[in-house]
Amino acid sequence: MMLKIIPILTDNYVWILYDKKNFCIIIDPGLSKPILKEIKKHKWFPVAILLTHNHIDHTGGVKNIIKHYPNITVFGPFETRDSNVNKIVNDGDKLFILNKEFFVFFTPGHTLGHVTYYSKPYLFCGDTVFSGGCGRVYNKKYLDMYNSIQKILSFPNETVLCCSHEYTLSNLDFSMSILPEDKDIKNFYKKTKKIIEIKKTSLPSYILLEKKINLFLRTDEYSLREAMRLDRNCNSLEVFIKLRVKKDYFWS
Ligand SMILES: [Fe+2]
Ligand SMILES: [Fe+2]
């Protein structure tokens, strides 16, 4: 399966997987117009929509897309049931779409019922992990979000991380305010700036890369506790909460 990224709205991404026969799967279509345009341009035939969570910037295009392609199957977690979903997915489900396996993982924290889809090597993690950061934690479910991030961290290093927003530079700005001397983050910031100028996107990312540059995936490091003036013996969850709350009030 080949992967295509489509920017929509201010900073959202819709991902499309397509095969050699031009059948395609759309992930989190927050809008319909740019997606329908792209489908027509490439002569794709959509067979499924996968939704990660119930936010309008991820679900807003479903209704109009299925008007054009009424045979599409729309998969989504229970919280998306009112977005024209006809197959509710649950943690541990295995879906077969276009002869490929898609594994469903419950990754709550950003929303109460957020899910992530894995079809080797691609991981569609919605608003759970971004390059250099993570999603906002609504409803104060920090433990849920922490556990979801650990789950994402456990995927193979070469996993292609398909996040739903272009927040990379602002995430790295925040990270550099915490760890100003971190060479990996500093270098990646410079590299990303150039890449965005050329390619207009910093995504997709990779698990291996995120392990190096994403502070939310590095909450077990002592350097982070020291930099944040936290007790050396506090646990990773406490570091995660402090970091997430700090980020909520950070403007670069
Ligand atoms: Fe969201
Ligand atoms: Fe979003």
Side-chain angles (χ1 to χ4, degrees), residues 171-190 213 215 218 223-224 226-229 243 246 250:
N171 285 334
L172 296 174
D173 265 332
F174 169 71
S175 306
M176 289 189 295
S177 78
I178 305 280
L179 289 183
E181 299 307 323
D182 188 295
K183 282 198 180 100
D184 286 331
I185 294 175
K186 270 166 57 175
N187 289 338
F188 186 60
Y189 184 88
K190 279 185 211 155
I213 58 96
L215 294 188
R218 291 171 46 182
S223 61
L224 205 48
E226 265 168 31
M228 295 173 74
R229 297 197 181 128
L243 205 55
K246 245 182 180 332
F250 180 84

Side-chain angles (χ1 to χ4, degrees), residues 53 55 57-58 110 127:
H53 67 292
H55 280 163
D57 59 320
H58 298 247
H110 175 67
D127 287 355

Side-chain angles (χ1 to χ4, degrees), residues 52-58 110-111 114 126-127 130 138 165:
T52 59
H53 67 292
N54 192 36
H55 280 163
I56 193 76
D57 59 320
H58 298 247
H110 175 67
T111 62
H114 193 295
D127 287 355
F130 300 126
Y138 294 107
H165 288 270

Side-chain angles (χ1 to χ4, degrees), residues 7 40 53 60 99 108 110 115-116 118 123 146 171 198 251-252:
K40 277 185 192 126
H53 67 292
N99 290 321
H110 175 67
V115 298
T116 289
Y118 177 64
L123 192 69
Y146 175 79
N171 285 334
I198 301 162
W251 301 101
S252 58

